[in-house]
């Protein structure tokens, strides 16, 4: 059978075959051997040597593109190659016969031009052997294909020259666009024919590496699937092509096609006997149990947990029959992933770690963090595992470990440490050498680190910097990629917070739908926050109570504390601060138990406000001194402003029994704290709280007899009060 001038048979019977493109590469190699060392400079020869490997391993390309690549490295040699191919194509069949006969001379002599065992030598020997096996009719068809290949190349070269002349007249900008269009069309033409086994393996490994490390540089899903279908058309039993098709379908969330390709991969793996060769008689069973394990992972990825559990049970059964501890370890890890909603998930994970003879794995550290272990113990565990990762240059695990540290520091409320860890991960170079100059920087760890950076900048009022980080995330992880949901949720949360700070509750409400689609718990909580801001207390209370019950069942302690704080706020805004006190004490107990320092400080802040409402500002000030330091050190700008505003309120409330002179000094101090709080709120554009501060300052200036300052604050209050919606929360009735 012949297609596009290529004589091919079963891919497992033929390693390589002769094509017109490979004849052109053979001409290049022959000319390089004939050209003396003095004729080609050392720099040009180095460029040619670097060019050879992709030419030998990559797919066939058009003749015009080959000329262009050679000309970029050595213009003199490009001219010689062009002349040799032209003489062969415009001559007779015997010219091609003579060319292949002369190739054998490269290995003759005491000092041959090419060593038989070198990369070039093996390529030459494969081509000579493949050509010698052709029948006369096949040789004739190959020569006809060479003539067509040359004619299409010459035509393309003329078109390129005409285009260059036309584009010079139309301007440089148009020229760049035309050249780009030509390169795209050339790539489409070059991939139309079948690939040899080596070319196919190189193409598959390159695309798989790009999908893993830098998905944006891989072929588009549709283009890659087209190439894979073309590959499978000539060899339906190529198992690796089915697996790459499975990975490609995962990119576009196609559950049917990805399942189909995965099953075909393991079927072909058993059919070709590849597993049996490497694993003896155990190969067949090994394929079956890993097929079930991969199927379980696939169903888990798409949220089909029941099907995933059934597939996992099958994998465990086969692995136990075969006494495969490695497969059982993988199954145990997936059991933990599937059973995170169960109470025994921590036991499963501990058992998994013991069976693996490792310690301090990132997932175990994550579980311990949620269980309330101290930071020093978690960092010690990560340090021990990091020693192994660095020793064996396991860059993926190193990245995961640093991303875990970033998340742990944020969980404990240490934003400065979290920022440091995130920047450390982003500044690291990959320890693995990846093909095509790709750095391993498109993993989930980098997506998580960048999302943390965006949120940290947003919390500090640096919205422009956060927008730049999100823009970079969108470019690095396009919407159809695996980790795009991370930045989508991050972007929605930042927009929601900005809308709430700006008093645009209708806009915040419209963002809740998108947040709920990406994270249902976060979406329900923020819906309750919107109800609360719009004074819909009954709806907010019902929603928060349902969410509290659900989060307690899931043991999501961080969200439980946040919900308790919102419930307490509902109570005191409904003039029931005494009911809020037990709720706040419960939140404080949970924060202390799980060592969530920042949430504990925020809870103390709320307790101080409750005491202020109850008429004991002195005790409220004492509590504030306990909580304000962590907030000012690591807190968000909004929380810093709330803390300083509350300090000023407590100072004013404590001056009732003071003498006039001391009271005036205390009020002046309160005004300074209010100015500091106003600066914090201005950074996050929180107009509602700035309005409240202006109202409070106007009253203080009036007591002190400072008319001009009072009028200025009153004017600011009036402007903001007219801008803000009428259904906003009552003034001064929140922290």
């Amino acid at each position: 059978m012949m297609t596009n001038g290529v004589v091919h048979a079963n891919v497992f019977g033929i390693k390589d075959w002769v094509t017109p493109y490979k004849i052109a590469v053979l001409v290049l190699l022959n000319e390089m051997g004939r050209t003396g060392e003095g004729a080609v400079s050392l720099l040009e020869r180095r460029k040619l040597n670097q060019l050879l490997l992709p030419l030998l391993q990559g797919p066939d390309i058009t003749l015009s593109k080959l000329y262009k690549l050679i000309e970029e490295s050595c213009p003199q040699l490009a001219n010689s190659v062009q002349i040799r191919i032209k003489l062969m194509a415009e001559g007779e069949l015997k010219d091609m016969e003579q060319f292949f006969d002369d190739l054998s001379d490269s290995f003759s002599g005491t000092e041959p031009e090419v060593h038989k065992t070198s990369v070039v030598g093996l390529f030459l020997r494969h081509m000579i052997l493949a050509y010698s096996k052709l029948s006369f009719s096949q040789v004739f068809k190959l020569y006809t294909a060479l003539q067509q290949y040359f004619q299409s190349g010459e035509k393309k070269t003329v078109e390129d020259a005409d285009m260059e002349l036309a584009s010079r007249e139309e301007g440089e900008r148009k020229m760049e666009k035309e050249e780009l269009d030509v390169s795209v069309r050339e790539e489409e033409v070059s991939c139309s024919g079948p690939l040899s086994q080596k070319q196919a393996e190189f193409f598959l490994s390159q695309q798989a590496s790009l999908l893993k490390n830098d998905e944006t540089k891989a072929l588009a899903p549709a283009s890659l699937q087209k190439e894979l279908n073309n590959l499978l058309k000539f060899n339906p039993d190529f198992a690796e092509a089915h697996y790459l098709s499975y990975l490609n379908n995962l990119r576009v969330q196609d559950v049917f096609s990805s399942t189909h390709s995965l099953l075909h991969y393991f079927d072909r793996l058993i059919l070709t006997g590849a597993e049996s060769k490497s694993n003896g008689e155990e190969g067949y069973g090994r394929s079956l149990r890993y097929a079930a394990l991969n199927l379980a992972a696939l169903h888990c990825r798409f949220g089909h947990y029941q099907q995933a559990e059934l597939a996992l049970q099958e994998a465990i059964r086969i692995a136990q029959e075969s006494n495969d501890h490695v497969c059982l370890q993988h199954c145990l890890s997936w059991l933990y992933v599937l059973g995170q909603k169960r109470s025994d998930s921590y036991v499963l994970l501990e058992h998994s770690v013991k069976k693996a003879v490792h310690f301090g794995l990132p997932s175990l550290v994550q579980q311990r963090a949620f269980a309330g272990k101290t930071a020093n113990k978690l960092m010690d565990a990560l340090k021990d595992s990091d020693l192994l990762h660095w020793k064996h240059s396991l860059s993926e695990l190193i990245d995961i470990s640093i991303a875990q540290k970033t998340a742990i520091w944020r969980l404990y409320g240490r934003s400065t440490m979290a920022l440091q860890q995130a920047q450390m991960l982003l500044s690291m170079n990959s320890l693995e050498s990846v093909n095509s100059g790709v750095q391993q920087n498109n993993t989930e760890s980098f997506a998580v680190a960048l999302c943390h950076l965006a949120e940290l900048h947003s919390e500090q009022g640096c919205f422009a910097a956060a927008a730049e980080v999100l823009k970079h995330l969108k470019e690095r992880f396009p919407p159809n990629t695996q980790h795009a949901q991370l930045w989508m949720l991050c972007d929605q949360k930042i927009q929601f917070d900005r809308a709430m700070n700006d008093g645009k509750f209708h806009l915040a409400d419209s963002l809740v739908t998108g947040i709920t689609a990406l994270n249902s718990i976060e979406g329900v909580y923020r819906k309750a926050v919107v109800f609360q801001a719009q004074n819909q207390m009954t709806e907010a209370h019902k929603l928060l109570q349902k969410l509290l019950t659900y989060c307690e069942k899931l043991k999501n302690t961080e969200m439980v504390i946040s919900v308790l704080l919102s419930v307490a706020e509902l109570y005191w805004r409904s003039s029931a601060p005494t009911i809020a006190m037990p709720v706040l004490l419960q939140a404080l107990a949970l924060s202390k138990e799980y060592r969530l320092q920042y949430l504990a400080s925020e809870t103390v802040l709320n307790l101080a406000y409750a005491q202020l409402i109850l008429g004991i500002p002195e005790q409220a000030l004492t509590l504030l001194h306990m909580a304000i330091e962590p907030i000012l050190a690591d807190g968000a700008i909004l929380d810093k402003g709330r803390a300083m505003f509350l300090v000023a309120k407590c100072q004013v409330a404590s001056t009732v029994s003071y003498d006039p002179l001391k009271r005036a000094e205390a009020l002046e101090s309160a005004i300074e704290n209010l100015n500091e709080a106003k600066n914090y709120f201005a950074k996050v554009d929180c107009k509602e709280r700035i309005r409240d501060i202006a109202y409070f300052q106007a009253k203080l200036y009036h007591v002190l007899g400072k008319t001009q300052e009072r009028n200025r604050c009153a004017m600011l209050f009036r402007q903001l009060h007219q801008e803000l919606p009428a259904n906003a929360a009552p003034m001064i009735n929140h922290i």
Side-chain angles (χ1 to χ4, degrees):
M1 178 181 175
M2 172 168 281
T3 307
N4 292 342
V6 180
V7 182
H8 57 90
N10 190 312
V11 75
F12 300 109
I14 279 188
K15 288 287 183 183
D16 221 336
W17 44 67
V18 186
T19 66
Y21 162 74
K22 289 176 183 175
I23 294 176
V25 176
L26 289 171
V27 171
L28 170 63
L29 293 172
N30 191 254
E31 285 296 320
M32 287 178 65
R34 291 172 57 182
T35 306
E37 293 185 3
V40 179
S41 66
L42 182 63
L43 180 61
E44 288 177 335
R45 187 166 291 276
R46 186 180 299 163
K47 288 181 179 179
L48 286 169
N49 291 336
Q50 291 175 342
L51 176 65
L52 280 180
L53 194 59
L55 290 180
L56 297 179
Q57 292 182 328
D60 293 4
I61 59 176
T62 59
L63 189 59
S64 60
K65 190 164 187 179
L66 180 62
Y67 286 156
K68 186 177 180 182
L69 291 172
I70 301 172
E71 191 174 3
E72 289 173 356
S73 302
C74 181
Q76 178 186 348
L77 197 63
N79 189 43
S80 302
V81 170
Q82 190 171 4
I83 293 171
R84 283 286 299 277
I85 295 175
K86 182 178 181 180
L87 291 174
M88 190 187 304
E90 293 181 348
E92 299 178 355
L93 180 59
K94 65 179 182 179
D95 295 326
M96 187 176 73
E97 288 276 0
Q98 186 62 42
F99 171 73
F100 275 93
D101 291 339
D102 295 340
L103 282 179
S104 302
D105 297 338
S106 303
F107 304 110
S108 60
T110 55
E111 293 184 2
E113 298 173 1
V114 180
H115 292 284
K116 290 184 177 182
T117 56
S118 66
V119 175
V120 175
L122 289 172
F123 176 75
L124 288 174
R125 289 163 64 191
H126 284 157
M127 290 297 100
I128 294 170
L129 182 62
Y131 182 79
S132 64
K133 289 183 177 181
L134 298 180
S135 64
F136 178 76
S137 61
Q138 290 173 334
V139 171
F140 180 76
K141 288 179 181 178
L142 177 62
Y143 184 70
T144 305
L146 176 65
Q147 290 177 320
Q148 294 173 353
Y149 183 69
F150 169 74
Q151 289 168 4
S152 63
E154 286 293 304
K155 184 179 179 182
K156 183 68 68 177
T157 305
V158 172
E159 287 178 1
D160 288 346
D162 293 342
M163 190 186 313
E164 187 176 354
L165 289 173
S167 56
R168 281 178 183 173
E169 296 174 359
E170 295 174 8
E172 293 182 0
R173 188 173 181 180
K174 181 117 183 240
M175 180 184 69
E176 292 175 0
K177 181 179 182 300
E178 294 289 345
E179 287 176 351
L180 180 63
D181 293 341
V182 170
S183 65
V184 171
R185 288 197 297 270
E186 285 180 346
E187 289 180 4
E188 291 174 354
V189 171
S190 67
C191 296
S192 59
L195 303 177
S196 69
Q197 185 177 356
K198 286 188 175 181
Q199 287 177 322
E201 287 173 353
F202 175 74
F203 172 75
L204 294 177
S205 64
Q206 185 186 51
Q207 290 300 314
S209 176
L210 288 170
L211 287 180
K212 175 187 174 185
N213 300 304
D214 196 348
E215 196 173 320
T216 56
K217 293 185 180 178
L219 287 176
S223 302
L224 180 55
Q225 195 60 45
K226 182 181 177 183
E227 298 301 328
L228 291 172
N229 292 339
N230 186 48
L231 200 63
L232 291 168
K233 180 174 67 175
F234 296 104
N235 178 26
D237 296 331
F238 202 172
E240 288 79 4
H242 285 290
Y243 192 78
L244 187 60
S245 177
Y246 154 69
L247 294 177
N248 190 44
N249 286 310
L250 277 182
R251 299 165 69 189
V252 293
Q253 307 294 315
D254 187 345
V255 61
F256 175 78
S257 300
S258 54
T259 308
H260 181 78
S261 298
L262 181 65
L263 295 176
H264 269 290
Y265 165 69
F266 282 102
D267 289 345
R268 297 315 189 273
L269 206 62
I270 296 169
L271 178 67
T272 59
E275 284 289 287
S276 300
K277 290 177 185 176
S278 59
N279 297 281
E281 296 179 358
E282 191 59 30
Y284 180 79
R286 187 176 188 273
S287 291
L288 287 179
R289 57 181 175 267
Y290 277 99
L293 180 61
N294 277 271
L295 192 60
L298 175 65
H299 283 305
C300 189
R301 166 83 178 269
F302 287 104
H304 307 153
Y305 299 115
Q306 189 174 359
Q307 294 93 324
E309 195 165 348
L310 291 173
L312 199 56
Q313 288 174 2
E314 180 70 11
I316 292 171
R317 184 185 63 79
I318 303 174
Q320 285 175 337
E321 290 175 358
S322 307
N323 201 25
D324 188 344
H325 292 289
V326 176
C327 184
L328 283 171
Q329 166 62 23
H330 286 299
C331 292
L332 204 56
S333 301
W334 279 105
L335 265 180
Y336 165 70
V337 173
L338 288 172
Q340 282 187 6
K341 296 181 181 180
R342 292 157 42 181
S343 59
D344 61 343
S345 61
Y346 182 67
V347 179
L348 278 173
L349 189 59
E350 287 279 12
H351 186 55
S352 173
V353 174
K354 289 175 184 176
K355 290 289 290 182
V357 203
H358 284 303
F359 45 89
L361 293 174
S363 54
L364 179 61
V365 170
Q366 177 180 335
Q367 185 73 22
R368 286 175 173 172
F370 291 146
K373 300 295 181 182
T374 55
N376 61 326
K377 290 182 179 179
L378 297 179
M379 294 304 160
D380 284 341
L382 281 172
K383 179 194 70 177
D384 294 335
S385 61
D386 284 346
L387 289 175
L388 293 175
H389 301 158
W390 284 104
K391 181 179 179 180
H392 299 289
S393 298
L394 303 174
S395 59
E396 269 194 75
L397 293 178
I398 292 170
D399 293 347
I400 292 171
S401 177
I402 297 176
Q404 286 281 356
K405 290 176 186 175
T406 306
I408 287 169
W409 284 123
R410 281 207 73 194
L411 179 68
Y412 287 155
R414 302 283 185 165
S415 60
T416 307
M417 293 299 298
L419 189 64
Q420 181 193 49
Q421 292 294 326
Q423 290 175 340
M424 182 189 299
L425 177 57
L426 297 178
S427 63
M428 281 180 58
N429 291 321
S430 173
L431 299 177
E432 293 182 4
S433 57
V434 183
N435 292 332
S436 307
V438 179
Q439 295 294 326
Q440 189 179 359
N441 56 2
N442 275 37
T443 58
E444 184 181 11
S445 305
F446 276 81
V448 169
L450 284 168
C451 287
H452 279 305
L453 271 182
E455 290 181 355
L456 287 167
H457 280 91
S458 176
E459 286 176 0
Q460 299 304 317
C462 304
F463 297 117
E468 285 295 322
V469 175
L470 285 170
K471 180 183 176 183
H472 182 67
L473 271 165
K474 292 173 185 177
E475 292 172 355
R476 182 175 285 188
F477 302 95
N480 62 339
T481 56
Q482 180 180 352
H483 307 305
Q485 290 187 355
L486 293 171
W487 65 257
M488 288 179 181
L489 179 60
C490 176
D491 189 19
Q492 294 281 317
K493 286 163 68 176
I494 290 174
Q495 289 185 48
F496 178 90
D497 291 336
R498 293 197 67 180
M500 290 297 295
N501 292 341
D502 204 19
K504 298 176 180 177
F505 305 135
H506 63 286
L507 179 59
D509 195 22
S510 66
L511 293 168
V512 168
T513 306
I515 296 174
T516 308
L518 297 166
N519 188 325
S520 57
I521 294 176
E522 192 74 35
V524 172
Y525 173 70
R526 290 179 184 261
K527 182 68 176 178
V529 170
V530 173
F531 279 146
Q532 191 172 334
Q534 293 174 336
N535 288 331
Q536 300 180 36
M537 300 303 180
T538 307
E539 291 83 354
H541 188 264
K542 289 179 181 178
L543 213 54
L544 288 171
Q545 287 298 331
K546 289 180 181 178
L547 184 59
L548 181 62
T549 305
Y550 183 69
C551 291
E552 285 175 343
K553 184 180 177 181
L554 290 182
K555 296 185 178 179
N556 187 347
T557 311
E558 190 177 6
M559 183 56 73
V560 166
I561 296 170
S562 299
V563 172
L564 287 172
L565 293 179
S566 295
V567 170
E569 185 176 348
L570 278 177
Y571 287 143
W572 74 58
R573 284 175 59 173
S574 303
S575 302
T578 51
I579 305 176
M581 292 297 288
V583 178
L584 290 172
L585 291 173
Q586 182 186 352
L588 184 61
L590 284 172
S591 303
K592 296 287 186 181
E593 180 184 351
Y594 289 92
R595 293 174 172 82
L596 304 177
Q597 179 183 333
Y598 188 73
L599 282 174
S601 300
E602 194 171 346
T603 307
V604 172
L605 206 67
N606 283 271
L607 277 169
Y609 185 69
Q611 288 182 335
L612 174 64
I613 296 174
L614 291 170
I616 41 176
E618 293 81 7
Q619 292 187 20
L621 269 176
T622 306
L623 273 177
L624 278 174
H625 289 308
M626 295 167 50
I628 201 166
E629 184 178 343
I631 291 175
L632 293 179
D634 293 296
I637 288 290
L638 185 64
D639 292 333
K640 292 178 183 179
R642 290 170 59 211
M644 296 309 298
F645 192 11
L646 184 56
V647 168
K649 289 179 183 178
C650 292
Q651 286 177 329
V652 173
S654 302
T655 60
V656 178
S657 58
Y658 290 0
D659 58 76
L661 183 61
K662 189 177 179 181
R663 186 166 187 261
E665 292 177 358
L667 293 180
E668 289 286 354
S669 176
I671 289 173
E672 291 179 6
N673 289 330
L674 287 171
N675 284 328
E676 187 176 351
K678 185 163 66 174
N679 292 334
Y680 285 135
F681 291 142
K683 287 182 180 179
V684 291
D685 198 24
C686 189
K687 295 180 180 178
E688 182 185 345
R689 298 182 187 273
I690 295 174
R691 177 195 64 181
D692 293 350
I693 288 178
Y695 172 79
F696 207 64
Q697 280 185 320
K699 291 181 69 176
L700 295 182
Y701 281 129
H702 181 72
V703 172
L704 293 172
K706 297 184 177 182
T707 308
Q708 187 175 356
E709 289 84 352
R710 180 202 65 189
N711 293 342
R712 186 179 68 248
C713 291
M715 179 62 71
L716 177 61
F717 165 77
R718 182 180 178 184
Q719 290 173 351
L720 292 174
H721 191 57
Q722 289 174 347
E723 289 181 21
L724 291 172
N727 62 343
M731 291 182 297
I732 320 299
N733 200 17
H734 53 77
I735 300 179

